[in-house]
Each structure stands twice: as structure tokens, then as C-alpha cells.
């Protein structure tokens, strides 16, 4: 029987093995492992890729979001708008600063924040909107920017899942005052460990974040503020520089796999396929289908050797970590509905077309078509 893992680095990493091993040797033999040239080089390459003036490499995506909010001066009691169906990290960054999470439901079509519901959530305490480009698809950034400007609030994009995506031709991670991304290994651009970055066009903000992530220090042993150690390692930065040169082609492979799924599953009325906004591009960090028979289908596919996942089974507002928010189940019915009906199918560079068709065939068999 075939075995199709949910995610495998085998193909991707075997193809670039030599250059990655060379990269390791170069950093190893440089005898310099923190705050050095590899980080600077990657920062300038990623800023260029993302079409922003600055990129600040940091320890991971969660720290990136936290550092931005902290540098923006977010304080306890400030209100931050986040989608009700995001990954927990977006919410945690807000909680670290004791700011108030204000959840807004996603669109049932794109799964990104519903721009028609943002304004009713804004109060005099609202300081920022954090759109999350979920699963690889860009949010409706023109509307979000318009609302933010009208109410004089910040936009901070969570771009962990969508490096390379665009809305109306402009890249995600280049709209907000500052934006966080993650290079967790499984992301579209993944390090060989934890890593993340902040992109911004704001010179002062870039400088403040640079200081905050490095012990509150610009000059070694002189500390201006109570900072953190949230730096990106030289080794990870060097690996990321190499992998960045492949990102566009890997994103294309994801899109090609998605188009096979789209084509092969098009006529199944028992499942809902991903829907892409006409002005957005989708980098397919995840390929998500929805069905009322979710758990049965997952079990059926598992028995056919196909691993799938749920992104995510519990919305942040229903997590145990957030019981103190006292938000009853059912408050965010779209987030609930998504959590109950979604399945993420395998999608990764190197996944064979034939395996994608096998997965589709198994799904059709399950639904007797
Ligand atoms: C992965 C992810 C993060 C956090 O990134 P880490 O590097 O794991 O800290 C934040 N937001 C979203 C939407 C993510 O998918």
C-alpha cells in the first residue's frame, strides 16, 4: 500500500543537500555564530524579496508578532482585532502584552478575516488589526488598509503562512506598519529549526525592534531598554538565504498540486474546495477541503495510507488557555464550523502528481463517485 505522509522534506531537502552542507561548513568555519554577516545578508535578501525597506531576523514567528506590538507601544487594555479562526500564535502575541483580544469572524469563502465585520468591532480602545493570510492566501488588504486609515489604527500582518502571496499585485508582509513571518520548518520558507522575521518600511520602528530583540542594546554592553534575546541565529540565517532562492519555485509546485486537486475534485458536491478571492494569490501553505463527514473521511484516508491534518481543531477562543476570556462556544459560529469540517490534504514540494491523483481517487471512492 502507498504511504503518503502529510508533510515530507525528503525530496526538497535531498535536492539542495549539497548547497546546505556547504552553507553549514561556511558558518561553522567562520567561528561567528550570533549577530553576524549571515543574518545581515539574509535580512537584506528577505527585505528585497518582500519589497520592504527593512527586514529584522528574529527567533520565531510568535516573537516577531510580539516584538512588533511591543515596539508599537501596545499596553494592557488596548484592543487588538484578530481573526477568530487563526493559529494560536496571533492571539498569544496580544496576550503577552495584556492587550484585549477582539475576535472577528472569517469569510466562509476565503477563511480570511471578513472585512465587512471589522468596523463594527472597532472601539475607542482599538489600536491595531492583525490580518492573518491564512493557509497561503492574501487577505483583502485594500479594504483593511482603508478601514485602518479611517480609524487611525495600525495594521500588523501575520504573514507566517503566505510568503510570496499578493493582493492586487502587492506582496503580503508589505502593507502593514510592520509585519511578522515565521520560518518554522514546515512553513513555505522553512529554516532547519525555529526562525522568523519582521518586515517594515518604517525606519524608526525597524531600529526599535532591532534593539528590543537584542537585549535592548545597539552597542554591546550598553542597554537602552529592557530588551529580549529574540535573535535569529547565523546558521539559520545562512540556511534561509539558500532556501529563499528556491521559494518561488516551491510555491509554484504547491500551486500545481493545488490545481490537480481542484481539477480532480471539482465535481464532488459533498466537499467544498478552497476559494480564491479574485484579487488575491494563494501560495497553498495548506490545501483545505471541507465536508460534514470530516472525521470519517480522515479515518478512511488514513486506512488508505494517506495522512491528513486539521488546521485547526479548536479556535483560540475555545482553547483551555483562554477559558478566562469566558467566551461561550457558539459565539463565533464560522470559526466553529471551520474547525468541525476542515481537512488539510498533503501538499508539499516534491509530492508526486501521481500521489495527488491517488489521494483524489480515494476521496472519490469514499463518496462513492
Ligand atoms: C506558524 C505561525 C505563527 C508562529 O510562528 P512560529 O515560528 O511557530 O512561532 C504565527 N502565525 C501563524 C498564522 C502561523 O501559522
Amino acid at each position: 500500500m502507498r504511504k503518503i505522509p502529510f508533510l515530507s522534506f525528503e525530496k526538497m531537502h535531498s535536492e539542495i543537500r549539497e548547497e546546505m552542507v556547504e552553507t553549514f561548513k561556511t558558518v561553522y568555519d567562520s567561528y561567528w555564530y550570533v549577530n553576524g554577516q549571515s543574518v545581515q545578508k539574509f535580512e537584506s535578501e528577505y527585505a528585497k524579496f518582500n519589497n520592504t525597506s527593512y527586514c529584522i531576523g528574529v527567533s520565531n514567528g510568535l516573537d516577531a508578532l510580539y516584538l512588533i506590538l511591543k515596539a508599537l507601544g501596545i499596553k494592557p487594555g488596548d484592543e487588538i482585532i484578530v481573526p477568530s479562526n487563526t493559529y494560536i500564535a496571533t492571539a498569544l502575541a496580544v496576550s503577552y502584552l495584556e492587550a484585549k483580544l477582539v475576535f472577528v469572524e472569517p469569510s466562509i469563502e476565503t477563511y480570511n478575516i471578513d472585512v465587512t465585520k471589522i468596523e463594527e468591532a472597532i472601539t475607542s480602545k482599538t489600536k491595531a488589526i492583525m490580518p492573518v493570510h491564512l493557509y497561503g492566501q492574501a487577505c483583502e488588504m485594500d479594504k483593511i488598509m482603508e478601514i485602518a486609515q479611517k480609524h487611525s489604527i495600525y495594521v500588523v500582518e501575520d504573514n507566517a503562512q503566505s510568503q510570496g502571496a499578493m493582493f492586487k499585485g502587492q506582496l503580503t508582509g508589505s502593507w502593514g506598519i510592520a509585519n511578522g513571518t515565521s520560518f518554522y520548518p514546515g512553513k513555505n520558507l522553512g529554516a532547519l529549526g525555529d526562525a522568523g522575521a519582521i518586515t517594515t518600511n518604517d525606519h524608526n520602528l525597524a531600529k526599535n525592534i532591532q534593539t528590543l530583540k537584542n537585549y535592548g542594546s545597539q552597542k554591546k554592553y550598553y542597554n537602552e531598554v529592557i530588551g529580549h534575546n529574540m535573535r535569529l541565529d547565523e546558521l539559520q540565517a545562512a540556511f534561509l538565504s539558500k532556501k529563499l532562492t528556491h521559494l518561488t519555485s516551491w510555491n509554484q509546485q504547491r500551486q500545481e498540486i493545488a490545481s490537480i486537486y481542484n481539477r480532480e475534485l471539482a465535481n464532488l458536491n459533498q466537499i467544498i474546495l478552497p476559494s480564491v478571492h479574485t484579487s488575491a494569490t494563494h501560495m497553498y501553505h495548506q490545501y483545505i477541503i471541507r465536508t460534514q463527514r470530516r472525521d470519517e473521511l480522515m479515518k478512511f484516508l488514513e486506512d488508505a495510507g494517506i495522512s491528513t491534518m486539521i488546521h485547526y481543531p479548536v479556535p483560540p477562543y475555545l482553547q483551555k488557555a483562554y477559558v478566562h476570556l469566558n467566551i461561550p462556544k457558539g459565539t463565533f459560529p464560522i470559526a466553529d464550523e471551520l474547525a468541525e469540517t476542515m481537512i488539510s490534504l498533503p501538499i508539499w514540494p516534491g509530492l508526486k502528481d501521481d500521489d495527488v491523483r491517488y489521494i483524489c481517487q480515494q476521496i472519490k471512492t469514499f463518496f462513492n463517485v
Side-chain angles (χ1 to χ4, degrees), residues 102-126:
V102 177
F103 295 107
V104 168
E105 289 266 74
S107 146
I108 192 77
E109 300 286 323
T110 63
Y111 314 140
N112 278 333
I113 193 164
D114 184 340
V115 294
T116 67
K117 291 184 183 151
I118 294 176
E119 271 197 293
E120 63 203 45
I122 294 176
T123 73
S124 59
K125 290 183 181 162
T126 309

Side-chain angles (χ1 to χ4, degrees), residues 21-31:
V21 170
E22 282 313 308
T23 299
F24 170 77
K25 287 182 190 162
T26 306
V27 178
Y28 191 81
D29 293 337
S30 77
Y31 307 132

Side-chain angles (χ1 to χ4, degrees), residues 60-63 65 86-87 89-90 132 134 158 160-161 182-184 187 194-195 312:
N60 58 60
L62 170 57
D63 289 348
L65 298 172
T86 186
Y87 177 59
T90 326
V132 182
L134 210 57
D158 179 339
Q161 302 191 357
S182 165
F183 307 122
Y184 177 79
K187 298 289 156 83
D194 279 309
Y312 300 91

